[in-house]
Amino acid sequence: MPLSLQDLNPNEINDWCPGCGDMGILLSVKNALIGTNADIHKTVIVSGIGCSSKLPHFVNVNGIHTLHGRAIPFAEGIKLANPELTVIIDSGDGDTYGIGAGHFVSAGRRNTNIKLFVHDNGVYALTKGQASPTLPEKRKVKGIPEPNINGALNPLAMAIMAGYTFVARTQSYNVKEATDLMIRAIRHNGLAVVDILQGCPTYNPEFTNMEWFGQHTKPLPATYDAIVKDPSNVSEVNQKKLQALNTLLGETADNMSTGLFFQWENPDTFEDRLRARGIQPPANADIADQNGHSTVNMDKVLEDLAV
Ligand code: SF4
Ligand code: MG
């Protein structure tokens, strides 16, 4: 039977502020799971800490609400242990690009087949609205006494340089576009990030409302071709990366594009690299014979661990 909204959150509960963009993202995530006909028993949503990180509580799939900045290593571990699972991260900009920045960069070097949906509202909302790494310099939000003294990260340019193979941006009030990009990210074979500009009417009301997004974001032109056609053609891969970087670095905080910036179906995922070394996912390993007796050879395990 096809998956429905009713299967994913029968009680429709959440505890975000009225008008919070997390609600649009929640709906988009549920739409994307329906759109990919996800198996709810084989889907996991992982989060760190923050308002957005409550999302796994509101979707009826497997969920884990982990430590601040640590959603990526949890998600990688889950995927490597059982590659049959669809593993999605829903976490905030502070969580992913601040305390989790080292994991964000290192994940690009591996290209594990997991999906990051980053709720990007420019603030650490759960702790009362301090500036996050994506808040532009000189921008004043409620939780800081003076305009932001730090410059902003460009997370999508960072993602391309780190090795992410699917890089996109959308915004929380455009559920149609967000759903479409999430579906494409889930179907992509490799590491995907969708940065979602998110409304926070409580701590960043001026620069993250629906009207502001409507005036200051626009879809990438129809002629923009993000997808690498020949995955083994290094020069095409580099040309598409440069196109994305030029576009991203040419933007300002008041003039941003949404859509798919870069996609490369790189066949070399981290799962493939482990398989090539003969390492099998633990979830696929035989651990008992037909009589229920352990088949694990501890001598061999100890031998493998010897240095
Ligand atoms: Fe949403 Fe901001 Fe409220 Fe957090 S503080 S629930 S991000 S509106
Ligand atoms: Mg945030």
Side-chain angles (χ1 to χ4, degrees):
M1 200 162 59
L3 195 62
S4 72
L5 280 176
Q6 185 63 18
D7 297 321
L8 291 170
N9 186 359
N11 301 319
E12 288 297 333
I13 34 170
N14 67 64
D15 59 1
W16 292 309
C17 307
C20 176
D22 284 335
M23 296 182 206
I25 299 174
L26 173 64
L27 179 58
S28 304
V29 169
K30 291 194 285 190
N31 285 344
L33 294 175
I34 292 167
T36 51
N37 204 21
D39 179 342
I40 60 175
H41 303 294
K42 291 190 173 176
T43 301
V44 188
I45 301 182
V46 184
S47 68
I49 295 294
C51 296
S52 54
S53 290
K54 296 177 184 173
L55 188 142
H57 297 265
F58 310 140
V59 189
N60 189 24
V61 297
N62 302 286
I64 176 163
H65 188 167
T66 67
L67 304 173
H68 201 14
R70 305 293 178 252
I72 290 175
F74 269 86
E76 286 177 329
I78 292 165
K79 184 69 180 176
L80 296 180
N82 188 353
E84 282 185 24
L85 302 176
T86 296
V87 182
I88 294 167
I89 295 174
D90 265 282
S91 251
D93 47 346
D95 192 80
T96 309
Y97 308 140
I99 191 165
H103 295 303
F104 180 73
V105 172
S106 295
R109 297 163 52 218
R110 303 190 186 102
N111 192 32
T112 310
N113 190 0
I114 59 174
K115 321 297 159 189
L116 279 77
F117 299 155
V118 185
H119 304 220
D120 184 357
N121 55 15
V123 291
Y124 287 88
L126 191 67
T127 50
K128 307 276 183 260
Q130 299 86 351
S132 87
T134 55
L135 187 72
E137 187 183 353
K138 300 184 180 152
R139 190 166 282 179
K140 173 79 174 72
V141 290
K142 278 190 184 174
I144 51 178
E146 295 189 41
N148 189 18
I149 197 167
N150 295 308
L153 286 181
N154 189 322
L156 297 187
M158 272 175 65
I160 286 168
M161 293 310 295
Y164 284 65
T165 48
F166 182 106
V167 175
R169 182 196 282 134
T170 184
Q171 56 105 339
S172 60
Y173 300 114
N174 189 342
V175 170
K176 187 169 180 301
E177 183 187 66
T179 299
D180 175 57
L181 288 169
M182 287 178 184
I183 288 174
R184 294 167 78 177
I186 291 169
R187 289 184 174 147
H188 173 73
N189 180 38
L191 179 63
V193 58
V194 183
D195 185 74
I196 309 161
L197 304 173
Q198 181 226 319
C200 174
T202 301
Y203 293 112
N204 191 0
E206 196 180 342
F207 299 102
T208 60
N209 61 61
M210 203 182 302
E211 191 183 12
W212 194 93
F213 287 146
Q215 290 170 353
H216 297 274
T217 66
K218 60 177 187 325
L220 284 163
T223 51
Y224 186 100
D225 183 3
I227 302 171
V228 174
K229 302 291 179 302
D230 177 359
S232 60
N233 183 339
V234 177
S235 111
E236 187 194 358
V237 172
N238 288 341
Q239 185 263 321
K240 291 275 159 67
K241 283 186 180 179
L242 282 172
Q243 170 187 242
L245 287 170
N246 270 328
T247 306
L248 288 160
L249 299 177
E251 295 176 343
T252 66
D254 293 332
N255 182 16
M256 288 180 284
S257 298
T258 60
L260 178 62
F261 286 87
F262 176 70
Q263 184 175 13
W264 174 27
E265 288 277 5
N266 178 355
D268 182 31
T269 63
F270 199 58
E271 298 91 307
D272 295 324
R273 294 178 213 173
L274 290 177
R275 218 172 288 125
R277 291 190 178 193
I279 300 171
Q280 293 303 319
N284 293 350
D286 286 330
I287 55 170
D289 63 21
Q290 56 191 6
N291 298 317
H293 298 140
S294 173
T295 54
V296 177
N297 180 348
M298 281 312 292
D299 291 339
K300 173 79 172 55
V301 172
L302 294 172
E303 192 183 303
D304 288 347
L305 292 174
V307 286

